[in-house]
């Protein structure tokens, strides 16, 4: 088995769509980033890459690469899952938390899980939690949104 941890944060800015966990969430601001700024997807990707001992998301998807400009981060998840499988592992479990003061994310969690399932992580193998930061720090002040993820990879054994 392998475990991995991922963390990400992005600044909230006007004139951007808010995409978290592959879901377009109605809000007056969105996350700034080279891609769509999907903080949860990035944290999950970093957890998976970490479990493989394969560096980090920036190594695999450099923000100098125009291919990923405004790209849906869920499109980045697919090749990472291919790498997981090519390395002889499957995703046993992902747990994650998104830290955002606003908007309220709880109503969107099932849609996020469906988006991860469409990208290749079954919804029975991922948990997503939404927390505020009780008004403290950058997330609490609404300057940005952060996400954390852990994953467990299981070695695929031939029977
Ligand atoms: Mg990011």
């Amino acid at each position: 088995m392998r475990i991995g941890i991922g963390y990400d944060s992005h600044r909230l800015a006007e004139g951007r769509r808010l995409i978290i966990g592959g879901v377009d969430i109605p809000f007056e601001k969105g996350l700034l980033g080279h891609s769509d700024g999907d903080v949860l997807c990035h944290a999950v990707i970093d957890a998976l890459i970490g479990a493989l001992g394969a560096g980090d998301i920036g190594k695999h998807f450099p923000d100098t690469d125009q291919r990923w400009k405004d790209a849906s981060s869920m499109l980045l998840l697919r090749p990472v899952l291919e790498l997981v499988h090519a390395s002889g592992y499957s995703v046993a479990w992902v747990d994650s938390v998104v830290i955002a003061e606003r908007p309220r994310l709880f109503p969107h969690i099932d849609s996020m899980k469906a988006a991860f399932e469409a990208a290749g992580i079954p919804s029975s193998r991922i948990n997503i939690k939404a927390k505020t930061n009780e008004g403290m720090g950058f997330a609490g002040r609404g300057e940005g949104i952060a996400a954390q993820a852990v994953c467990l990879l299981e070695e695929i054994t031939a029977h």
Side-chain angles (χ1 to χ4, degrees):
M1 297 224 195
R2 296 282 193 94
I3 62 165
I5 182 171
Y7 170 83
D8 196 29
S9 61
H10 282 264
R11 187 178 288 276
L12 278 164
E14 289 180 11
R16 295 273 299 181
R17 290 158 66 208
L18 180 62
I19 313 285
I20 300 178
V23 178
D24 204 329
I25 297 167
F27 193 53
E28 71 255 26
K29 291 179 177 178
L31 294 172
L32 266 186
H34 179 69
S35 64
D36 61 3
D38 189 334
V39 70
L40 174 59
C41 191
H42 294 177
V44 169
I45 286 173
D46 245 354
L48 294 168
I49 291 173
L52 292 174
D56 63 25
I57 189 170
K59 179 179 162 186
H60 291 260
F61 308 103
D63 61 10
T64 50
D65 191 330
Q66 287 306 305
R67 272 183 303 169
W68 313 123
K69 176 114 176 66
D70 297 322
S72 165
S73 296
M74 283 292 173
L75 295 177
L76 313 186
L77 183 56
R78 288 174 181 278
V80 171
L81 288 169
E82 281 165 20
L83 185 62
V84 167
H85 296 139
S87 304
Y89 291 93
S90 67
V91 177
W93 190 251
V94 174
D95 192 15
S96 63
V97 54
V98 184
I99 303 137
E101 208 66 21
R102 284 194 321 131
R104 198 161 165 264
L105 298 177
F106 180 75
H108 303 286
I109 284 178
D110 284 346
S111 303
M112 293 179 193
K113 289 178 69 168
F116 277 103
E117 174 145 324
I121 300 177
S123 55
S124 59
R125 292 182 182 272
I126 183 166
N127 189 65
I128 301 168
K129 303 184 291 291
K131 304 282 287 183
T132 72
N133 220 25
E134 301 279 335
M136 298 179 288
F138 71 84
R141 290 188 297 268
E143 294 166 14
I145 291 177
Q148 300 174 343
V150 291
C151 74
L152 184 69
L153 302 185
E154 232 167 6
E155 205 166 347
I156 301 165
T157 49
H159 293 288

